[in-house]
Amino acid sequence: MKKTLALIMALAMVLGMLAGCGGAAASTPAESTAAESAESVSVEEPANEPADAPAPVEDEKNPAAVADSAVEEALAEEEIPDLELPLTEEPVTLSFWTQAPGGQTGQLYPDFAEYPFFIEAQERTGITLEFIQENFMTANEKFNLMIAAQDYPDIFGKFNSLYSAGDDNGIEEDIIIPLEDYEDLFPHYQKYRTSTKFLETATTTAEGHISGFYNMMSDFIGPFFGMMGRGDWIEEIGQGMPETYDELHDVLLAMKNNYGCTTPLMLDSAAVGNDNFLAAGYGIACMLATNAKESYWMVQDGTVVDGITGEGYKEYLTMLHQWYEEGIINSDFTNAAGAMSPDGMGDILSGNCGVFFNGAPMMSMYANSDDPNMHVVGMPDPVKEKGEKTHVDTTEFDFGGEFMSISTVCEYPELAIQFCEFWFTDEGILLGNYGVEGLSYDMVDGVPTFNDNMMNNPEMAPGNAISFYTGRNTIPTWEANSRLLATFSEDEKNAFSVWSESRDNRDAYPYVAQLTIEETEEISKLAADYETYADECRQKFIVGDMDIEKDYASYEEQVRTMGLTRALEIKQDAYDRYMAK
């Protein structure tokens, strides 16, 4: 149980570290472009370069150094006054509401007040943070209670991923302040935020507000999440790595028959394999229960379409019904939380599960299994025919998330803003990406390089150490995903490559096509009805309570009538506005 809980908390840490929540932007072919203008800093890399697979890393301790020669060309010089530190001569304390640290790091150090990068930032800025930390399993509930009680902190962490009405509503409802009223206080953030049209659009609300400080990726190296499974079993079965649905079916059936596992393929109640990984081979994105934000919208030839109607979705449901009848997916999937749940993690570690879905930085954690033969490997997204790619990956982030927003009750809004601005100065970027010199990195030939505290820490794996010593998981800054490669095991790097080669993300709906206040309110009301109905029907189709051949047409008509048709119009309008920018 201790191992199970450690792995669950580790996943929570990874999800935050990889910027997946709420405010992230899906990479599209048109938007993965190099930075057009920004100041050069010694620790940075080219911004938003497209990548189909991870670039070769010559120095695993310092992948950033590989691109140093290109930095000067990618980021143009711009004179910006230095931020004068400390920010205040008199001690000032600001409350910061955020998700509690997770994973192995969170078990060892559950209080952010102990984290070296925060301690160092507080000493340099003169701002002390009073942390209000919530467990990731209850964060959404606690956040909503806090908003209802109007008991706001000075600084919100990840406001827009938790406030379902959106940032514009948050400003209109007098919860967070519009930062453009204080624009002269954050020139460094503005420099990076406006370095490309994409980033400027992504960090500006539909109503034109600057609502918070975003974590922004200076490069894009591909997906960190996907399907994985028991590589040792796959090798013993001898059918090769499955690439198609038919091949995956045969491997899953062999896992059931050869190893007696009751969960050859683990699904959760969404029944899509996390972010549509299992469904994408049918040309659909169909993840429900996301308040109509992005997980079942696609764009094909400029037209917004949904993935919860149509022939591809019907074929997918037909396949899952067959697999359910054959017992190769977990029979309790309708109530399951998936691989991150205690039951799910227990099934994986005990050898009762063959294939599941998770993030690459979690893979090495399965070495804690009591089975010495357990070897987890990344598996390609299944497709209908060999050689095909999937087109609707929703996890290829080349952007980031809104990590800090200033509340309207903050007594010192200027100081709170400047504290956030600190993380976009050269000094703050170095601290946020590498931590404290001598503690987590050393300067080697003038280049910051992770040291043994990061790479060979006896207390924690590198993926956890990077979250303890650096600000990747918690603060907004200008960072490079490629630095994370230094902390990957070989299996994790291989999974990363496998997933990159499986996807081209051609049809992904851009997350940053933002809705207006009125659109957000309307689509939320519509989705509350038709998403609930669609989710209920999905479960019934899979378990056989509804007949797919007889009932699918009426299901489609009903879900459209309940509001899907109007929701498509709203999403099309938002997409058209985004493309016009």
Side-chain angles (χ1 to χ4, degrees), residues 1 22 95 100 109 120 133 149 153 207 211 220 286 289 319 335 338 340 345 363 373 404 414 436 441 446 496 565 570:
M1 179 59 71
S95 56
Y109 303 98
E120 185 70 16
Q133 303 175 164
E207 303 293 337
S211 57
F220 171 68
C286 58
M319 180 193 76
N335 299 310
M340 68 175 290
M345 197 66 72
M363 291 180 65
N373 297 317
M404 288 185 174
E414 293 87 355
V436 180
Y441 79 92
F496 178 87
T565 298
I570 294 172

Side-chain angles (χ1 to χ4, degrees), residues 44 48 188-195 199-200 203 213-219 398-401 424 475-481:
E44 293 319 304
N48 298 319
H188 292 87
Y189 177 58
Q190 277 290 76
K191 172 189 65 179
Y192 290 107
R193 193 185 75 84
T194 61
S195 61
L199 287 177
E200 184 174 11
T203 56
F213 287 84
Y214 281 78
N215 188 60
M216 291 179 286
M217 306 298 176
S218 67
D219 65 351
D398 64 357
F399 173 36
F424 290 90
I475 54 93
T477 191
W478 180 253
E479 69 177 33
N481 267 331

Side-chain angles (χ1 to χ4, degrees), residues 41 63 91 115 123 148 183 189 191 219 259 269 309 322 324 346 355 357 385 395 404 436 477 487 512 567:
V41 292
Y115 283 47
E123 290 179 355
E183 191 170 333
Y189 177 58
K191 172 189 65 179
D219 65 351
Y259 302 100
S269 58
T309 60
Q322 176 192 335
Y324 180 83
V355 176
F357 304 87
E385 301 291 339
T395 67
M404 288 185 174
V436 180
T477 191
T487 67
V512 293

Side-chain angles (χ1 to χ4, degrees), residues 203 396 530:
T203 56
E396 293 195 3
Y530 75 73

Side-chain angles (χ1 to χ4, degrees), residues 11 14-15 18 222-229 265-267 272-280 339 348 354-363 366 376-382 390 393-397 488 492 494-500 502-503:
L11 180 58
V14 170
L15 291 175
L18 300 180
F224 285 92
F225 295 82
M227 188 167 73
M228 58 182 68
L265 174 66
M266 181 180 292
L267 290 180
V272 295
N274 285 38
D275 290 89
N276 296 298
F277 301 131
L278 186 62
I348 295 168
V355 176
F356 50 100
F357 304 87
N358 217 325
M362 281 292 291
M363 291 180 65
Y366 295 112
V376 175
V377 298
M379 302 173 65
D381 297 339
T390 62
D393 173 26
T394 61
T395 67
E396 293 195 3
F397 303 125
F488 275 27
E492 291 165 347
N494 289 337
F496 178 87
S497 297
V498 166
W499 298 331
S500 296
S502 297
R503 310 165 186 171

